Amino acid sequence: MGKLEKTDKAGKTVEAWWALLFAEGSLGQSILRWGLPVIGGAIGVWVASATDWISSYGVAGWAATIMLGALGAIWGLAGFEHVRTKRWLRDHAADVPVNAGTDSDLIALIDSRLEKFLATTLRAEFVTNRQQDAYDEKLASLDEEVKVALGNIDSLKNEIGEVPNKLGNLEQQFSDWTHAHIKDQEHQFKNVDGGFRAIHDREKLIEMAAGIESDAKWLLRSRDGEKVDDWGEWNLMHSEWMMAIRNYAIVAERYLNDVPRKIGDVPSHEIQGRWPEDRSLFPGDDEVIAYRTATLTLRNFNSEHKRVMQCVTSWAFEAPSKKGLYED
């Protein structure tokens, strides 16, 4: 006999007793309704007699009574649970397959429904502490990301607000760069023009230096022992010669501004003293001083002419556009 059949028979027995003793209209209900006073009095007499009878056995009597009461209570609870189970099976009979006629089939069905319940409803309702901690960590991470995003948005707003100022600064920088670039280009073109003028000045200075050197030979012929017969003509030629030197210095001053001063620098102590020329070649001291001054001036001119040629040649042929701004 299977477990279900045994349970079913026990349930039927409990149901029979329930119908006899507890159901509405049963013998038990009639006894409770009409015989309660009689039963109460009898129970009182019986309890008094039973108490005296149990007490006559001492502690053992009371222990046996308590044990019998406990067994009766257990039997009553088992019957009540069986009735409740039968009622639940009747209510859920539609969920039981037709072929679930054996204990194993019913147990398998119960296990299947239990697994489904654990896998869906119970799992959906509850989460473990680890899962909850993971959710909390994700929420905290998302909160930090939101704060960073909001900070980036604020920073972007500030940068957008500064765009007009930045554009204004960029416009001013571009304007300054353009002005400087245009000015630099103008300087370079002027320097190129200065290079072409340096070529012209170089040829002019070479020609002027040749005339100065030629006239100096006539003026300073006394150094070769030749006597000057007409000092009036010498003074006239000397004046023209000095004018040619001044004109030369004006052109050279564009490249070296100290040329006029250095050419005219004739110290008095150099004029004094002994010179190799014979004093008899000169009619007086004024002529000697004029001669020696012209000699020292020619010396200075030759020294400065070398410097001027180097500078003018550089301006004319050595990257004139890269030179400094050429001013008149």
Side-chain angles (χ1 to χ4, degrees), residues 58 60-62 64 70 74-75 104 118 129 137 189 198 212 221-222 224 240 252 260 270 278 291-292 300 320 328:
W62 283 107
I74 293 173
W75 182 83
S104 60
L118 293 175
N129 292 334
E137 292 177 359
F189 282 119
I212 292 171
R221 63 185 182 272
S222 296
D224 296 329
E240 294 178 353
E270 292 188 13
D278 192 348
Y291 167 78
R292 291 182 177 181
N300 294 341
D328 290 331

Side-chain angles (χ1 to χ4, degrees), residues 6 9 26 47 50 83 133 154 173 200 207 215 227 251:
K6 292 179 180 179
K9 287 183 177 183
S26 63
V47 167
V83 171
D133 293 340
D154 293 337
Q173 291 176 4
H200 175 267
E207 182 180 356
D215 292 342
K227 187 177 181 180
V251 178

